[in-house]
Amino acid sequence: MNSQNGFLLSYIKYGENDAVLHCFTEEEGFQSYFLKGIYARKNKKKALLLPLSKLNFSLLPVRGNGIQTISRFEMIKSNDIYTDIRCNSVVFFISDFLNQNLKHENKNHHIFFCLEEFIDELENQNYQSHLIFLVKILKIQGVAPLLNNGKFLDPETGTFSFEITHQIFTEEVSAIWKAILSSEYPYRTKIHSSYRKDFLDSLLVYYHYHITDFRVPPSLEVIQQIFE
């Protein structure tokens, strides 16, 4: 029997009592699993189906071309991030973001570790951690901007220039990019609340240019409203 550790990204109900789970696992990257009976009246484990919860899955052998079936699962570590409305909105946004954009990602220990680090930051009520996390993912994917002496980030070329090339990438927003990219401890970078929306918008523009088939997560509007 195969065992996997993974972060739950999303799930959909299948039939009356079953579900299909989409996860990012430590050993196999993005995976979909079939979970039988989770919606049965007496099954209390559906309370563990929380976005970005870290779970251990025991999997039955695959038969034919079907997806793997979970025989049992346990939460590896519980935390309080779901009781804080701002943390909760960040969790839903990032799980939505990854579910949209990691569907073809194979095993990647750097992304898995980055997720663990991100959850730790949220537990410490770092409410801007999702912004740093998205820059770190660009670094892992090898498409982060290249640093130089320019003051304005050009999102199309991924370099800094001496003249503004995109209205969102002002000198202030570009300086935030530089601070995160050049920091040894990016999560300590302070982003003033007045710039967080513009910085998030700049991240989405940059992802559109550099990540193939990038999709804006449906939960974007919610997180923008929470942090206004």
Side-chain angles (χ1 to χ4, degrees), residues 39 43 51 82 102 120-122 132 174 198 224:
Y39 286 102
N43 195 332
Y82 304 101
L102 286 186
D120 288 341
E121 288 294 325
L122 264 188
I132 315 297
S174 298
D198 287 345
Q224 287 178 330

mmCIF file of all heavy atoms in Angstrom, residues 39 43 51 82 102 120-122 132 174 198 224:
data_model
loop_
_atom_site.group_PDB
_atom_site.id
_atom_site.type_symbol
_atom_site.label_atom_id
_atom_site.label_comp_id
_atom_site.label_asym_id
_atom_site.label_seq_id
_atom_site.Cartn_x
_atom_site.Cartn_y
_atom_site.Cartn_z
ATOM 1 N N TYR A 39 -18.796 11.636 2.700
ATOM 2 C CA TYR A 39 -20.014 12.392 3.018
ATOM 3 C C TYR A 39 -21.090 11.544 3.698
ATOM 4 O O TYR A 39 -22.209 12.014 3.904
ATOM 5 C CB TYR A 39 -20.593 13.036 1.753
ATOM 6 C CG TYR A 39 -19.792 14.216 1.275
ATOM 7 C CD1 TYR A 39 -18.908 14.097 0.203
ATOM 8 C CD2 TYR A 39 -19.908 15.457 1.896
ATOM 9 C CE1 TYR A 39 -18.166 15.172 -0.235
ATOM 10 C CE2 TYR A 39 -19.164 16.547 1.457
ATOM 11 C CZ TYR A 39 -18.298 16.395 0.387
ATOM 12 O OH TYR A 39 -17.562 17.473 -0.046
ATOM 13 N N ASN A 43 -19.555 9.740 9.056
ATOM 14 C CA ASN A 43 -18.135 9.974 8.810
ATOM 15 C C ASN A 43 -17.747 11.369 9.307
ATOM 16 O O ASN A 43 -18.153 12.386 8.751
ATOM 17 C CB ASN A 43 -17.822 9.845 7.315
ATOM 18 C CG ASN A 43 -16.331 9.722 7.053
ATOM 19 O OD1 ASN A 43 -15.508 10.206 7.823
ATOM 20 N ND2 ASN A 43 -15.987 9.070 5.959
ATOM 21 N N PRO A 51 -8.779 23.530 3.077
ATOM 22 C CA PRO A 51 -7.774 23.917 2.080
ATOM 23 C C PRO A 51 -6.400 24.076 2.710
ATOM 24 O O PRO A 51 -6.248 24.682 3.768
ATOM 25 C CB PRO A 51 -8.304 25.253 1.537
ATOM 26 C CG PRO A 51 -9.271 25.739 2.565
ATOM 27 C CD PRO A 51 -9.852 24.524 3.204
ATOM 28 N N TYR A 82 -7.565 28.518 10.454
ATOM 29 C CA TYR A 82 -8.915 28.553 9.894
ATOM 30 C C TYR A 82 -9.900 29.337 10.762
ATOM 31 O O TYR A 82 -11.027 29.567 10.361
ATOM 32 C CB TYR A 82 -9.418 27.123 9.657
ATOM 33 C CG TYR A 82 -8.487 26.330 8.779
ATOM 34 C CD1 TYR A 82 -7.590 25.409 9.339
ATOM 35 C CD2 TYR A 82 -8.465 26.498 7.407
ATOM 36 C CE1 TYR A 82 -6.708 24.694 8.541
ATOM 37 C CE2 TYR A 82 -7.589 25.782 6.596
ATOM 38 C CZ TYR A 82 -6.719 24.880 7.175
ATOM 39 O OH TYR A 82 -5.848 24.186 6.380
ATOM 40 N N LEU A 102 -1.121 24.511 -10.780
ATOM 41 C CA LEU A 102 -0.129 23.445 -10.576
ATOM 42 C C LEU A 102 -0.579 22.101 -11.147
ATOM 43 O O LEU A 102 0.011 21.077 -10.852
ATOM 44 C CB LEU A 102 0.175 23.269 -9.082
ATOM 45 C CG LEU A 102 1.025 24.323 -8.384
ATOM 46 C CD1 LEU A 102 1.331 23.878 -6.951
ATOM 47 C CD2 LEU A 102 2.333 24.587 -9.119
ATOM 48 N N ASP A 120 3.543 28.069 8.060
ATOM 49 C CA ASP A 120 4.165 28.525 9.315
ATOM 50 C C ASP A 120 4.045 30.043 9.458
ATOM 51 O O ASP A 120 3.776 30.555 10.559
ATOM 52 C CB ASP A 120 5.642 28.126 9.354
ATOM 53 C CG ASP A 120 5.846 26.631 9.562
ATOM 54 O OD1 ASP A 120 4.894 25.969 10.034
ATOM 55 O OD2 ASP A 120 6.947 26.139 9.255
ATOM 56 N N GLU A 121 4.242 30.757 8.367
ATOM 57 C CA GLU A 121 4.122 32.220 8.404
ATOM 58 C C GLU A 121 2.689 32.635 8.730
ATOM 59 O O GLU A 121 2.456 33.573 9.501
ATOM 60 C CB GLU A 121 4.550 32.830 7.059
ATOM 61 C CG GLU A 121 6.035 32.767 6.791
ATOM 62 C CD GLU A 121 6.845 33.626 7.750
ATOM 63 O OE1 GLU A 121 6.358 34.713 8.142
ATOM 64 O OE2 GLU A 121 7.964 33.217 8.093
ATOM 65 N N LEU A 122 1.725 31.942 8.152
ATOM 66 C CA LEU A 122 0.326 32.259 8.439
ATOM 67 C C LEU A 122 -0.017 31.986 9.898
ATOM 68 O O LEU A 122 -0.778 32.744 10.521
ATOM 69 C CB LEU A 122 -0.595 31.431 7.543
ATOM 70 C CG LEU A 122 -1.099 32.078 6.255
ATOM 71 C CD1 LEU A 122 -2.150 31.190 5.610
ATOM 72 C CD2 LEU A 122 -1.669 33.467 6.503
ATOM 73 N N ILE A 132 4.427 37.288 -0.608
ATOM 74 C CA ILE A 132 5.817 36.801 -0.655
ATOM 75 C C ILE A 132 5.865 35.404 -1.278
ATOM 76 O O ILE A 132 6.736 35.098 -2.099
ATOM 77 C CB ILE A 132 6.436 36.761 0.762
ATOM 78 C CG1 ILE A 132 6.134 38.038 1.552
ATOM 79 C CG2 ILE A 132 7.926 36.464 0.694
ATOM 80 C CD1 ILE A 132 6.694 39.297 0.972
ATOM 81 N N SER A 174 7.579 48.531 -7.840
ATOM 82 C CA SER A 174 8.814 47.883 -8.311
ATOM 83 C C SER A 174 9.832 47.745 -7.181
ATOM 84 O O SER A 174 10.567 46.745 -7.113
ATOM 85 C CB SER A 174 9.420 48.688 -9.464
ATOM 86 O OG SER A 174 8.534 48.747 -10.566
ATOM 87 N N ASP A 198 -2.153 46.885 -5.105
ATOM 88 C CA ASP A 198 -1.403 47.123 -6.340
ATOM 89 C C ASP A 198 -0.311 46.077 -6.538
ATOM 90 O O ASP A 198 -0.053 45.637 -7.670
ATOM 91 C CB ASP A 198 -0.766 48.514 -6.314
ATOM 92 C CG ASP A 198 -1.799 49.618 -6.513
ATOM 93 O OD1 ASP A 198 -2.924 49.310 -6.951
ATOM 94 O OD2 ASP A 198 -1.475 50.776 -6.221
ATOM 95 N N GLN A 224 -9.279 40.471 -2.014
ATOM 96 C CA GLN A 224 -9.141 41.920 -2.175
ATOM 97 C C GLN A 224 -10.090 42.670 -1.244
ATOM 98 O O GLN A 224 -9.731 43.691 -0.684
ATOM 99 C CB GLN A 224 -9.392 42.298 -3.640
ATOM 100 C CG GLN A 224 -8.241 41.905 -4.558
ATOM 101 C CD GLN A 224 -8.507 42.236 -6.006
ATOM 102 O OE1 GLN A 224 -9.662 42.237 -6.448
ATOM 103 N NE2 GLN A 224 -7.470 42.478 -6.779
#
